[in-house]
Amino acid sequence: MSGTPTNDPPVNELGLVVVGAAGRMGQALIRAIHTIPGARVAGAIERAGSPHLGKDAGELAGIGTIDVTIGDDPLPAFAKADGVLDFTSPAATVEFAGYAAQARIVHVIGTTGCSADDNAKIAAAARHATIVKSGNMSLGVNLLAVLVEQAARALDADDFDIEILEMHHRHKVDAPSGTALLLGEAAATGRGIDLDGNSVRSRDGHTGVRKTGSIGFAALRGGSVVGDHSVVLAGTGERITLAHHAEDRAIFARGAVKAALWARGRKPGLYSMRDVLGLA
């Protein structure tokens, strides 16, 4: 009968699956989707054997019942969704990228620690899926990366050394962080060099003098720090420090949802947050 209410979601809303739904980032993603117009939680996935399987994803995230039950099979969830938000592990992300390619949906990747082989597989999946991948989904960090690139280009390597310092909570498993590497890539691009061949990841013992043009990294771990990053350009008699301090992982979740909304309807390919923010 005309006018009868239904439980069907609005046809224009972007249905998103959250993988790793019971984790800290997964819960933050569910809360972000719930607050951003144009998006809805279409599915929630956890690993097999998780104690959270069968629970309502909204209740676990603290926003009340949303009638989305946490499951362990991504295939049916992906098949009925428009996109997936993924801050899991490299191995899981590669698997999810393949599923997203099969389903021809958007895949937003905030996972860090991916190897060159992992990235190659993700790039292959991007032939059929619209993938947005970034070491950091926040507006502030991606703007910082642009500034770092400009500063590195403007300040000669013979006069200014570049060091990147990052600190995260005690539970983070990869170092340097994905954000630190993103900033390092920006600095290397500004200098017109390859980061892999010019980065220094650790110093111990008698290291000798600093190599001109190298980009150094230092990683600190402890407490509950969400993410602090500083890029120091050190010259003779002066230092420039460009920094970003993340106080709430919700900034990454909101950025991921906005990336998914941006990617909707775009042709398959591998994009970055610079594309999303118009900073490319």
Side-chain angles (χ1 to χ4, degrees):
M1 181 169 58
S2 178
T4 301
T6 72
N7 292 322
D8 295 333
V11 294
N12 62 333
E13 282 192 327
L14 189 71
L16 296 172
V17 176
V18 176
V19 293
R24 287 173 297 179
M25 267 308 304
Q27 293 181 46
L29 289 165
I30 291 167
R31 290 191 291 269
I33 295 169
H34 189 66
T35 60
I36 294 177
R40 64 180 176 86
V41 180
I45 301 298
E46 259 299 331
R47 67 187 185 281
S50 168
H52 302 289
L53 294 177
K55 295 181 179 179
D56 185 272
E59 288 187 350
L60 186 62
I63 58 173
T65 303
I66 60 172
D67 295 324
V68 174
T69 301
I70 299 175
D72 62 3
D73 187 354
L75 291 177
F78 283 29
K80 63 181 182 181
D82 301 303
V84 54
L85 305 184
D86 178 3
F87 287 70
T88 56
S89 67
T93 290
V94 168
E95 183 177 356
F96 293 139
Y99 296 153
Q102 291 176 35
R104 303 294 202 272
I105 60 175
V106 172
H107 187 188
V108 176
I109 301 174
T111 303
T112 58
C114 293
S115 67
D117 183 58
D118 295 331
N119 287 328
K121 291 175 180 176
I122 291 168
R127 290 198 292 265
H128 302 292
T130 305
I131 297 178
V132 180
K133 184 177 184 295
S134 178
N136 193 297
M137 293 286 171
S138 84
L139 170 62
V141 160
N142 284 278
L143 178 58
L144 174 63
V146 173
L147 298 175
V148 168
E149 182 178 329
Q150 292 176 342
R153 182 177 295 114
L155 302 174
D156 191 86
D158 290 330
D159 298 321
F160 283 85
D161 301 316
I162 298 176
E163 293 286 318
I164 299 172
L165 173 66
E166 55 102 341
M167 182 169 185
H168 283 82
H169 52 86
R170 62 169 64 95
H171 301 292
K172 188 166 179 62
V173 298
D174 58 309
S177 69
T179 302
L181 293 173
L182 182 151
L183 296 171
E185 289 286 0
T189 298
R191 287 273 165 92
I193 60 176
D194 175 63
L195 180 63
D196 288 340
N198 292 277
S199 67
V200 177
R201 303 293 181 86
S202 64
R203 296 185 176 98
D204 184 37
H206 192 277
T207 61
V209 299
R210 191 183 196 282
K211 180 183 176 183
T212 299
S214 61
I215 298 173
F217 290 84
L220 308 179
R221 296 289 178 266
S224 59
V225 179
V226 174
D228 289 348
H229 294 85
S230 299
V231 179
V232 181
L233 297 102
T236 302
E238 61 181 331
R239 285 195 312 276
I240 299 167
T241 301
L242 302 172
H244 180 272
H245 303 285
E247 299 174 353
D248 188 341
R249 56 179 44 85
I251 64 174
F252 312 129
R254 289 194 297 268
V257 177
K258 290 179 180 179
L261 290 167
W262 174 88
R264 184 180 199 176
R266 294 186 186 271
K267 66 181 181 180
L270 185 58
Y271 301 91
S272 72
M273 281 301 286
R274 285 202 189 191
D275 296 306
V276 174
L277 300 170
L279 298 173

mmCIF file of all heavy atoms in Angstrom, residues 36 113 194 207 214 225 266:
data_model
loop_
_atom_site.group_PDB
_atom_site.id
_atom_site.type_symbol
_atom_site.label_atom_id
_atom_site.label_comp_id
_atom_site.label_asym_id
_atom_site.label_seq_id
_atom_site.Cartn_x
_atom_site.Cartn_y
_atom_site.Cartn_z
ATOM 1 N N ILE A 36 28.094 10.301 9.325
ATOM 2 C CA ILE A 36 28.330 11.010 8.065
ATOM 3 C C ILE A 36 27.187 10.752 7.091
ATOM 4 O O ILE A 36 26.909 9.595 6.738
ATOM 5 C CB ILE A 36 29.679 10.581 7.454
ATOM 6 C CG1 ILE A 36 30.827 11.042 8.360
ATOM 7 C CG2 ILE A 36 29.845 11.160 6.049
ATOM 8 C CD1 ILE A 36 32.209 10.610 7.888
ATOM 9 N N GLY A 113 52.252 -1.219 6.713
ATOM 10 C CA GLY A 113 53.176 -2.346 6.800
ATOM 11 C C GLY A 113 53.160 -3.254 5.594
ATOM 12 O O GLY A 113 53.731 -4.350 5.636
ATOM 13 N N ASP A 194 65.054 8.520 -4.755
ATOM 14 C CA ASP A 194 64.307 7.329 -4.377
ATOM 15 C C ASP A 194 64.435 7.126 -2.877
ATOM 16 O O ASP A 194 65.548 7.084 -2.345
ATOM 17 C CB ASP A 194 64.865 6.116 -5.129
ATOM 18 C CG ASP A 194 64.215 4.826 -4.686
ATOM 19 O OD1 ASP A 194 63.001 4.672 -4.874
ATOM 20 O OD2 ASP A 194 64.944 3.968 -4.142
ATOM 21 N N THR A 207 78.432 4.867 13.717
ATOM 22 C CA THR A 207 77.753 4.918 12.421
ATOM 23 C C THR A 207 78.492 5.745 11.375
ATOM 24 O O THR A 207 78.146 5.701 10.201
ATOM 25 C CB THR A 207 76.352 5.520 12.591
ATOM 26 O OG1 THR A 207 76.472 6.867 13.091
ATOM 27 C CG2 THR A 207 75.521 4.704 13.570
ATOM 28 N N SER A 214 70.538 11.890 2.784
ATOM 29 C CA SER A 214 69.763 10.775 3.338
ATOM 30 C C SER A 214 68.563 11.305 4.128
ATOM 31 O O SER A 214 68.546 12.452 4.577
ATOM 32 C CB SER A 214 70.638 9.898 4.240
ATOM 33 O OG SER A 214 71.142 10.633 5.332
ATOM 34 N N VAL A 225 49.529 6.703 22.766
ATOM 35 C CA VAL A 225 49.668 7.758 21.758
ATOM 36 C C VAL A 225 49.007 7.342 20.450
ATOM 37 O O VAL A 225 49.337 6.292 19.882
ATOM 38 C CB VAL A 225 51.160 8.081 21.503
ATOM 39 C CG1 VAL A 225 51.289 9.160 20.438
ATOM 40 C CG2 VAL A 225 51.829 8.518 22.796
ATOM 41 N N ARG A 266 33.704 6.332 -9.531
ATOM 42 C CA ARG A 266 34.928 6.576 -10.285
ATOM 43 C C ARG A 266 35.423 5.276 -10.911
ATOM 44 O O ARG A 266 35.151 4.186 -10.412
ATOM 45 C CB ARG A 266 36.001 7.187 -9.387
ATOM 46 C CG ARG A 266 35.625 8.575 -8.900
ATOM 47 C CD ARG A 266 36.740 9.241 -8.125
ATOM 48 N NE ARG A 266 36.258 10.504 -7.576
ATOM 49 C CZ ARG A 266 36.303 11.676 -8.208
ATOM 50 N NH1 ARG A 266 36.832 11.728 -9.414
ATOM 51 N NH2 ARG A 266 35.834 12.775 -7.640
#
